[in-house]
Amino acid sequence: QVQLVESGGGLVQAGDSLTLSCAASGRTFSNYAMGWFRQAPGKEREFVAAISWNGLSIYYADSVKGRLTISRDNAKNTVYLQMNSLKPEDTAVYYCAADSDSPWYPSRGEGVYDYWGQGTQVTVSS
């Protein structure tokens, strides 16, 4: 019922900054909590950050806290992930996801999310 399209990935150097975007369509964007996850080759998908429907509740993985910032603009139906001080360990496919059942709760569990984007590749070289 909602379509998510990530963009903004690419190849960058360690220490660089990058902003990912996730554009949503098909449903009222403000009815969803949104999350960012990432998956490196051969690794399990891991939680990165999540934000409640109104942007008032935010949670980050410890590994990215202080470097990555999640935000949303409901008027633009878009969620962002601002990434600073990128490290090679940040290399992964980044996915955004939407949770329609608990829009007030920015969950860390991937099983909670109902819709997923196609992913965008972020590669950080040293």
Side-chain angles (χ1 to χ4, degrees):
Q1 293 291 315
V2 64
Q3 295 79 47
L4 305 174
V5 180
E6 303 96 332
S7 62
L11 174 63
V12 298
Q13 301 290 322
D16 284 353
S17 297
L18 198 63
T19 299
L20 306 183
S21 299
C22 175
S25 63
R27 285 286 181 88
T28 302
F29 182 69
S30 60
N31 288 341
Y32 297 87
M34 300 295 296
W36 284 100
F37 293 79
R38 66 186 182 186
Q39 186 170 27
K43 302 290 186 179
E44 296 182 354
R45 186 159 55 190
E46 66 174 350
F47 169 78
V48 176
I51 187 168
S52 63
W53 70 274
N54 58 3
L56 296 180
S57 296
I58 296 174
Y59 292 99
Y60 296 100
D62 289 341
S63 61
V64 304
K65 187 176 179 63
R67 298 189 300 114
L68 277 61
T69 302
I70 188 173
S71 63
R72 68 190 298 162
D73 187 340
N74 288 350
K76 297 182 178 179
N77 291 343
T78 302
V79 173
Y80 305 95
L81 186 67
Q82 174 67 46
M83 303 185 291
N84 298 322
S85 302
L86 283 165
K87 305 175 180 179
E89 306 94 273
D90 296 317
T91 296
V93 177
Y94 284 72
Y95 300 90
C96 68
D99 171 21
S100 63
D101 297 325
S102 302
W104 60 90
Y105 181 68
S107 178
R108 297 175 175 86
E110 66 177 272
V112 170
Y113 293 88
D114 306 297
Y115 305 100
W116 295 81
Q118 84 289 348
T120 185
Q121 176 71 47
V122 173
T123 302
V124 185
S125 65
S126 59

